Amino acid sequence: MQGAIQSFQLHGNLLKNTILQHMRVMKPVMLPTVFSRFKSVSSPRLEEHGFESTTILDILKAKGKSADGSWLWCTTNDTVYDAVKSMTQHNVGALVVVKPGEEKALAGIVTERDYLRKIIVQGRSSKSTKVGDIMTDENKLITVTPDTKVLRAMQLMTDNRIRHIPVVDDKGMIGMVSIGDVVRAVVNEHREELDRLNAYIQGGY
C-alpha cells in the first residue's frame, strides 16, 4: 500500500511540474527537434509502475479519426499563409507536412512558433514563402510510436520544450498528439489510481 502511494506521489509531482512548466512557457507553440520518422527518441528512462498502462495508441483511439488535430496536414509546396489559415480554422498549433502527392510521406512539421520566428520576426511574406522553407525537417523530428507510454511521451515533450509530437510506426506517420492530449491522459490515469486507492482504504478490495 505504501509503495502504491509513493509511486502515485512520484508521478503526481511529474505531472504538476510539467503543467507548471508549460504554463510558464505557453508561448504560441513549439519548435520540435527529432530524429527519423522510423525511430522514436528515448529520454532518461522513467520508473514504470503497474498503473502506467495508457499508451499513445489509446490517445489516438480516444481522439478518433475525425478529431481536429489527429491528422491535419499540408504539403511542402503550400504557402505559409495557407498553413496558418488551416491551423486557425481547426484551432490547432501545428500541421504535419507531407511531400506533394504523397500523403503518407512525412516531410516534417510546421508550427505557430515557426511562423512567428521565421516569418513575423524576420519580416518575410507568408503568402510568398513555402511551408518547406520554414518547417522542421523530418530528420530533426522527435517522434513516438503507438506503444509509447504517455508518461514517456510527456517527459520527451517537456525535455525538448515541444507541444506536438508525431506518432509513427514501421509503415510511417499515423497521427499526432499534443501536450494537452498527453496531460489529459495522465490526469485520467491518476484519477483512476486514486479511485482504486480509496476503494482499497475503504475496504472495497
Side-chain angles (χ1 to χ4, degrees), residues 107-140:
I109 189 173
V110 64
T111 71
E112 292 171 341
R113 186 174 294 177
D114 293 324
Y115 171 65
L116 291 173
R117 291 180 174 178
K118 301 174 184 178
I119 297 295
I120 299 299
V121 173
Q122 296 181 19
R124 299 165 70 181
S125 169
S126 64
K127 291 187 176 182
S128 61
T129 304
K130 302 295 184 182
V131 169
D133 295 332
I134 71 165
M135 70 179 186
T136 298
D137 193 79
E138 65 166 322
N139 62 1
K140 295 180 181 179

Coordinates of all heavy atoms in Angstrom, one line a residue, residues 107-140:
A107 N 7.3 14.7 -44.4 CA 8.4 15.6 -44.7 C 8.9 16.4 -43.5 O 10.0 16.9 -43.5 CB 8.0 16.5 -45.9
G108 N 8.0 16.7 -42.6 CA 8.3 17.5 -41.4 C 7.1 17.9 -40.7 O 6.0 17.3 -40.8
I109 N 7.2 19.0 -39.9 CA 6.1 19.6 -39.2 C 6.3 21.1 -39.1 O 7.4 21.6 -39.1 CB 6.1 19.0 -37.7 CG1 4.8 19.4 -37.0 CG2 7.3 19.4 -36.9 CD1 4.7 18.7 -35.6
V110 N 5.2 21.8 -39.2 CA 5.2 23.3 -39.2 C 4.3 23.7 -38.0 O 3.2 23.2 -37.8 CB 4.8 23.9 -40.5 CG1 3.3 23.6 -40.9 CG2 5.0 25.4 -40.5
T111 N 4.7 24.7 -37.3 CA 4.0 25.1 -36.1 C 3.8 26.7 -36.1 O 4.4 27.4 -36.9 CB 4.8 24.8 -34.8 OG1 6.0 25.6 -34.7 CG2 5.2 23.3 -34.9
E112 N 3.0 27.1 -35.2 CA 2.8 28.5 -35.0 C 4.1 29.2 -34.6 O 4.4 30.3 -35.0 CB 1.8 28.8 -33.9 CG 0.4 28.4 -34.2 CD -0.5 28.5 -33.0 OE1 -0.1 28.5 -31.9 OE2 -1.8 28.5 -33.2
R113 N 4.9 28.5 -33.9 CA 6.2 29.1 -33.5 C 7.1 29.3 -34.7 O 7.9 30.3 -34.8 CB 6.9 28.2 -32.4 CG 8.2 28.8 -31.9 CD 8.8 28.0 -30.7 NE 7.9 28.0 -29.6 CZ 8.1 27.3 -28.5 NH1 9.2 26.5 -28.4 NH2 7.3 27.4 -27.5
D114 N 7.1 28.3 -35.6 CA 7.9 28.5 -36.9 C 7.4 29.8 -37.6 O 8.2 30.6 -38.1 CB 7.7 27.3 -37.8 CG 8.3 26.0 -37.3 OD1 9.3 26.1 -36.6 OD2 7.7 25.0 -37.5
Y115 N 6.1 30.0 -37.6 CA 5.5 31.2 -38.3 C 6.0 32.5 -37.6 O 6.4 33.4 -38.3 CB 4.0 31.1 -38.2 CG 3.3 32.3 -38.7 CD1 3.4 32.8 -40.0 CD2 2.5 33.1 -37.8 CE1 2.7 33.9 -40.5 CE2 1.9 34.2 -38.2 CZ 2.0 34.7 -39.5 OH 1.3 35.8 -40.0
L116 N 6.0 32.5 -36.3 CA 6.4 33.7 -35.5 C 7.9 34.0 -35.7 O 8.3 35.1 -36.0 CB 6.0 33.5 -34.1 CG 4.5 33.5 -33.7 CD1 4.4 33.2 -32.2 CD2 3.9 34.9 -34.0
R117 N 8.7 32.9 -35.6 CA 10.1 33.1 -35.6 C 10.7 33.3 -37.0 O 11.7 34.1 -37.2 CB 10.8 31.9 -34.9 CG 10.6 31.8 -33.4 CD 11.3 30.6 -32.9 NE 11.2 30.6 -31.4 CZ 11.7 29.6 -30.7 NH1 12.4 28.6 -31.3 NH2 11.6 29.6 -29.4
K118 N 10.1 32.7 -38.0 CA 10.7 32.7 -39.3 C 10.0 33.5 -40.3 O 10.5 33.7 -41.4 CB 10.8 31.2 -39.8 CG 11.7 30.3 -38.9 CD 11.7 28.9 -39.3 CE 12.4 28.0 -38.4 NZ 12.4 26.6 -38.7
I119 N 8.8 34.0 -40.0 CA 8.1 34.9 -40.9 C 7.9 36.3 -40.2 O 8.4 37.3 -40.7 CB 6.7 34.3 -41.2 CG1 6.9 32.9 -42.0 CG2 5.9 35.3 -42.1 CD1 7.6 33.1 -43.3
I120 N 7.2 36.3 -39.1 CA 6.9 37.6 -38.5 C 8.1 38.3 -38.0 O 8.4 39.5 -38.4 CB 5.9 37.4 -37.3 CG1 4.6 36.8 -37.7 CG2 5.7 38.7 -36.6 CD1 3.8 37.7 -38.7
V121 N 9.0 37.7 -37.3 CA 10.2 38.3 -36.7 C 11.2 38.7 -37.8 O 11.8 39.8 -37.7 CB 10.9 37.4 -35.7 CG1 12.2 37.9 -35.3 CG2 10.0 37.1 -34.5
Q122 N 11.2 37.9 -38.9 CA 12.2 38.2 -40.0 C 11.6 39.1 -41.1 O 12.2 39.4 -42.0 CB 12.7 36.9 -40.6 CG 13.5 36.0 -39.6 CD 14.0 34.8 -40.2 OE1 14.0 34.6 -41.5 NE2 14.4 33.8 -39.4
G123 N 10.3 39.5 -40.9 CA 9.7 40.4 -41.8 C 9.4 39.8 -43.2 O 9.4 40.5 -44.2
R124 N 9.3 38.4 -43.3 CA 9.0 37.8 -44.6 C 7.5 37.7 -44.9 O 6.7 37.9 -44.0 CB 9.6 36.4 -44.5 CG 11.1 36.3 -44.3 CD 11.6 35.0 -43.9 NE 11.6 34.0 -45.0 CZ 11.9 32.7 -44.9 NH1 12.4 32.3 -43.7 NH2 11.9 31.9 -45.9
S125 N 7.2 37.5 -46.1 CA 5.8 37.4 -46.5 C 5.3 35.9 -46.4 O 5.9 35.0 -47.0 CB 5.6 37.9 -48.0 OG 4.3 37.5 -48.4
S126 N 4.2 35.7 -45.7 CA 3.6 34.4 -45.5 C 3.0 33.9 -46.8 O 2.9 32.7 -47.0 CB 2.6 34.4 -44.4 OG 1.5 35.2 -44.7
K127 N 2.6 34.8 -47.7 CA 1.9 34.4 -48.9 C 2.9 34.1 -50.0 O 2.5 33.4 -51.0 CB 1.0 35.6 -49.4 CG -0.2 35.8 -48.5 CD -1.1 36.8 -49.1 CE -2.4 36.9 -48.3 NZ -3.4 37.9 -48.8
S128 N 4.2 34.4 -49.9 CA 5.2 34.1 -50.9 C 6.2 33.1 -50.4 O 7.1 32.6 -51.2 CB 5.9 35.3 -51.4 OG 6.6 35.9 -50.3
T129 N 6.1 32.7 -49.1 CA 7.0 31.7 -48.6 C 6.4 30.3 -48.5 O 5.2 30.2 -48.0 CB 7.5 32.2 -47.1 OG1 8.0 33.5 -47.2 CG2 8.5 31.2 -46.6
K130 N 7.1 29.3 -48.9 CA 6.6 28.0 -48.9 C 6.8 27.3 -47.5 O 7.8 27.7 -46.8 CB 7.3 27.1 -49.9 CG 7.2 27.6 -51.4 CD 5.7 27.6 -51.8 CE 5.6 28.0 -53.3 NZ 4.2 28.0 -53.8
V131 N 5.9 26.4 -47.1 CA 6.0 25.7 -45.9 C 7.3 25.0 -45.7 O 8.0 25.0 -44.7 CB 4.8 24.7 -45.7 CG1 5.1 23.8 -44.5 CG2 3.5 25.5 -45.5
G132 N 7.8 24.4 -46.9 CA 9.0 23.7 -46.8 C 10.2 24.6 -46.5 O 11.3 24.0 -46.0
D133 N 10.1 25.9 -46.6 CA 11.2 26.8 -46.2 C 11.3 27.1 -44.7 O 12.4 27.5 -44.3 CB 11.1 28.1 -47.0 CG 11.2 28.0 -48.5 OD1 11.9 27.0 -48.9 OD2 10.6 28.8 -49.2
I134 N 10.3 26.8 -44.0 CA 10.3 27.2 -42.5 C 10.0 26.0 -41.6 O 10.2 26.1 -40.4 CB 9.3 28.3 -42.2 CG1 7.9 27.8 -42.3 CG2 9.5 29.5 -43.1 CD1 6.8 28.7 -41.6
M135 N 9.6 24.8 -42.2 CA 9.2 23.7 -41.4 C 10.5 23.1 -40.7 O 11.6 23.3 -41.1 CB 8.6 22.6 -42.2 CG 9.5 21.9 -43.2 SD 8.7 20.7 -44.2 CE 10.2 20.0 -45.0
T136 N 10.2 22.2 -39.7 CA 11.2 21.4 -39.1 C 11.3 20.1 -39.9 O 10.3 19.4 -40.0 CB 10.9 21.1 -37.6 OG1 10.8 22.3 -36.8 CG2 11.9 20.2 -37.0
D137 N 12.4 19.9 -40.5 CA 12.6 18.7 -41.4 C 12.4 17.4 -40.6 O 12.7 17.3 -39.4 CB 14.0 18.8 -42.0 CG 14.1 17.8 -43.2 OD1 13.6 18.1 -44.3 OD2 14.7 16.8 -43.0
E138 N 12.0 16.3 -41.4 CA 11.8 15.0 -40.8 C 13.0 14.4 -40.1 O 12.8 13.7 -39.0 CB 11.3 14.0 -41.8 CG 12.3 13.7 -42.9 CD 11.9 12.4 -43.7 OE1 11.3 11.5 -43.1 OE2 12.1 12.4 -44.9
N139 N 14.2 14.7 -40.5 CA 15.3 14.1 -39.9 C 15.7 14.8 -38.6 O 16.7 14.4 -37.9 CB 16.6 14.1 -40.8 CG 17.0 15.5 -41.3 OD1 16.4 16.5 -40.8 ND2 18.0 15.5 -42.1
K140 N 14.9 15.9 -38.2 CA 15.2 16.5 -36.9 C 14.0 16.4 -36.0 O 13.9 17.0 -34.9 CB 15.4 18.0 -37.2 CG 16.7 18.3 -38.0 CD 16.9 19.8 -38.2 CE 18.1 20.1 -38.9 NZ 18.3 21.6 -39.2

